Amino acid sequence: MVKVVEHKGFNLVTVDSGFEIKAKKIIYCVGYESKNLLKESFVNLKSTYAVVSEIDNDKFKNIGSTLVWNTDDPYLYMRTTDDGRLLIGGGDEDFYDAEKRDAILHKKEKEILKTLNTIKPDYHFYTDFVWAGTFGETKDGLPYIGAHEKFKNSYFVLGFGGNGITFSVIGMEMASMFMKNKKHPLSRYFKFGR
Ligand SMILES: Cc1cc2nc3c(=O)[nH]c(=O)nc-3n(C[C@H](O)[C@H](O)[C@H](O)COP(=O)(O)OP(=O)(O)OC[C@H]3O[C@@H](n4cnc5c(N)ncnc54)[C@H](O)[C@@H]3O)c2cc1C
């Protein structure tokens, strides 16, 4: 989606192939790109890091389905995967510049594995992949889901937060209710300008 022109009763959307879509309603679920659409300050973008080990079904047997999230700042979380890997994440930084973020990938990998070593000194962790991503933090940890006064015939579903994926199910329910002109009880907690 590269351009939206508002008309009476509908929006005209241009997509990157040049085609136009006439839409009665638009649901913007564009993640942190919404920061370029909305003028107000509503989300703080950060960088986060994750490391996953090689497959080793024997080594991780004893931690099986354990899920860890510590109370440190920045936090560290870890769990095993179905295919026998240990996945660890954390090392959050307060900036989101992608080049700057990726330049310290291996420094972050070392930091995360050093912390793992203090928790589980007997584990020899063999890194398979390491990656980073941008995520959004809001003032109250809740997503922004609902209409915005500047965007006619439109709704936003922005699942920000460290638990943003869980908000996607609620967002789906809410969006389908909005489309039927129904209200949702959580709207007041997730609305813009709250
Ligand atoms: C490393 C990492 C680990 C995470 N771990 C967890 C976790 O364990 N649990 C959890 O709940 N959350 C986690 N999160 C957060 C979670 O990923 C986000 O909160 C969630 O993905 C937000 O969902 P969203 O649909 O709002 O946005 P996104 O998932 O960012 O989706 C937005 C989509 O819109 C597309 N888009 C943007 N602009 C346009 C445009 N103009 N036209 C067309 N498409 C567009 C983007 O390409 C993207 O695919 C993690 C995030 C990261 C980076």
Side-chain angles (χ1 to χ4, degrees):
M1 186 181 71
V2 291
K3 191 176 145 196
V4 177
V5 179
E6 288 175 1
H7 292 271
K8 208 170 172 215
F10 70 95
N11 291 313
L12 199 60
V13 179
T14 310
V15 293
D16 59 356
S17 54
F19 286 99
E20 289 181 332
I21 302 169
K22 190 177 168 184
K24 279 189 192 158
K25 304 271 184 200
I26 296 179
I27 300 173
Y28 289 89
C29 27
V30 293
Y32 57 82
E33 294 294 336
S34 56
K35 208 172 155 92
N36 300 322
L37 290 175
L38 305 170
K39 299 280 169 279
E40 69 266 35
S41 162
F42 64 108
V43 64
N44 184 18
L45 297 184
K46 303 179 95 172
S47 298
T48 189
Y49 298 83
V51 190
V52 73
S53 74
E54 288 181 359
I55 294 171
D56 189 333
N57 285 307
D58 294 328
K59 198 190 285 179
F60 303 125
K61 229 181 230 161
N62 61 345
I63 51 173
S65 55
T66 308
L67 182 68
V68 175
W69 190 300
N70 73 7
T71 53
D72 210 353
D73 186 15
Y75 57 79
L76 181 116
Y77 63 87
M78 57 182 174
R79 70 168 174 90
T80 50
T81 65
D82 288 344
D83 64 348
R85 301 169 188 270
L86 184 63
L87 168 70
I88 315 178
D92 292 8
E93 290 285 348
D94 276 329
F95 59 81
Y96 65 97
D97 177 90
E99 231 170 87
K100 199 173 155 192
R101 178 194 69 199
D102 294 349
I104 56 169
L105 258 185
H106 292 289
K107 179 175 165 263
K108 285 290 171 183
E109 176 195 353
K110 280 192 193 138
E111 258 176 52
I112 289 171
L113 295 184
K114 202 172 157 194
T115 314
L116 172 69
N117 194 254
T118 61
I119 301 168
K120 282 275 177 199
D122 51 330
Y123 276 171
H124 294 285
F125 185 102
Y126 296 101
T127 301
D128 205 352
F129 303 105
V130 48
W131 70 97
T134 302
F135 81 102
E137 206 175 59
T138 59
K139 58 180 180 181
D140 48 16
L142 297 177
Y144 282 90
I145 302 175
H148 189 283
E149 56 177 4
K150 296 262 160 45
F151 292 75
K152 289 205 185 87
N153 301 313
S154 302
Y155 298 102
F156 284 81
V157 176
L158 307 172
F160 295 128
N163 296 313
I165 293 166
T166 55
F167 295 133
S168 63
V169 178
I170 306 175
M172 174 192 66
E173 274 173 17
M174 291 175 81
S176 53
M177 284 181 82
F178 298 154
M179 300 300 271
K180 294 174 196 150
N181 288 321
K182 288 186 185 161
K183 290 203 161 89
H184 192 282
L186 290 174
S187 285
R188 64 194 176 111
Y189 301 109
F190 298 169
K191 69 179 185 187
F192 286 99
R194 61 179 180 254

